[in-house]
Every structure is written in C-alpha cells, then in structure tokens.
Amino acid sequence: GLDEAVLLHDELGIVVRVGHPRYHSPTLALQDIDSRDWILPTQFDSFRRQVESLFIASNLRWPGVAISANSMTAVKALVRHSDGVTIMTRSLIAVEIAAGMLRYVDIKGLNTRRSIGYSWLRSRGFSPVAEKFVGLLRDVANEASEQMKSGAA
C-alpha cells in the first residue's frame, strides 16, 4: 500500500486584477462570476481537475467560453492585463499582491483548502537520495508555511 505525508495546506481563491470594475467584494461565489470572464487552466493540466471540482461542488457547468492557458505565469499575466478572472492560491500570486497588481478573493460557500504532500510505497521506504529530497521538501514546506502565516506569501 501507499503511505502519505502532508507538508502544508493552502486554499484556492478567485484572483482578479486590482481595480477590477465588477468584482470588489472580499468574498465571491463562483456563481457571481460572469462565465465570459474566466481564464482557466488547459484541459490536460492537473490543476484544472482541482478547479473543475470547485465548479462541480457549486453545481455549475464548466464555462463554455473561457480563455485557457497551460502556464500559471501566462494566466497571471492575462488576469493582470484584462478583466479576466481565475482561480489560484494566494501563495502563487504573493509577488503580484505585494506589487499591487492582483487581488485574492475568498470563495464563498466552498471548502477550498487542499493538502500538499507526497506519497511512497510503504513496503519500500526511501533510498538515501530520496530521503535527502524528502528532507529538502520538508524544509521548503516549513518555510512556505511560516511565510503564509506571516502574510508574506
């Protein structure tokens, strides 16, 4: 069987540009977003499956008219320079928030918390290289958790 270890938790939220003409509230439901405003991950992106689950939990269909991009950097740039809307974690847009370019909005009515971690075969354990890698993952996750708690990320 598999064993799992959680490194940290984060939450998905709605992301808009600062000064967006329609979406000012500190919380929004997915139903509040005009379906033509979405900028979303491409079909074969693993992150898209997480975003799709939010639409399903909200009893919404996936937007038929949306801009799709396969790069988080491209999605952030598109949102920053348009009236588009996306879903990301606050930590992914920390630099843009600090620079006053993007705004994170809590999603009303949904549990958007997700766990980030790793898994391994219980019967095999870790090689020395894998053990070192897992140690580095834990260090980075601890640093990221501290930054999220302090509001730096």
Side-chain angles (χ1 to χ4, degrees), residues 4-46:
E4 295 180 347
V6 174
L7 293 168
L8 56 92
H9 299 279
D10 66 3
E11 292 191 37
L12 296 169
I14 294 169
V15 177
V16 297
R17 70 176 172 84
V18 169
H20 195 289
R22 289 187 303 282
Y23 306 121
H24 310 293
S25 174
T27 63
L28 290 166
L30 294 184
Q31 294 89 335
D32 297 334
I33 308 297
D34 186 314
S35 64
R36 295 167 296 182
D37 291 341
W38 286 109
I39 299 172
L40 297 164
T42 56
Q43 183 177 359
F44 302 106
D45 188 297
S46 62

Side-chain angles (χ1 to χ4, degrees), residues 64-87:
V65 178
I67 296 172
S68 294
N70 65 354
S71 156
M72 292 293 189
T73 303
V75 170
K76 290 192 291 186
L78 287 165
V79 170
R80 209 171 61 238
H81 296 290
S82 72
D83 289 336
V85 177
T86 196
I87 296 175

Side-chain angles (χ1 to χ4, degrees), residues 90-91 93-95 97-99 143-153:
R90 187 186 312 267
S91 60
I93 61 165
V95 170
I97 289 173
E143 184 179 316
S145 290
E146 290 303 314
Q147 288 177 347
M148 284 191 262
K149 287 177 189 171
S150 71

Side-chain angles (χ1 to χ4, degrees), residues 74-135:
V75 170
K76 290 192 291 186
L78 287 165
V79 170
R80 209 171 61 238
H81 296 290
S82 72
D83 289 336
V85 177
T86 196
I87 296 175
M88 287 188 181
T89 63
R90 187 186 312 267
S91 60
L92 279 174
I93 61 165
V95 170
E96 292 84 355
I97 289 173
M101 294 185 274
L102 293 178
R103 194 166 69 80
Y104 178 91
V105 179
D106 290 320
I107 299 175
K108 189 184 332 179
L110 291 178
N111 177 7
T112 62
R113 189 172 193 234
R114 64 185 189 152
S115 299
I116 298 174
Y118 59 95
S119 57
W120 67 95
L121 285 173
R122 185 177 304 130
S123 63
R124 297 205 45 199
F126 294 113
S127 69
V129 171
E131 190 67 51
K132 177 72 173 167
F133 179 71
V134 166

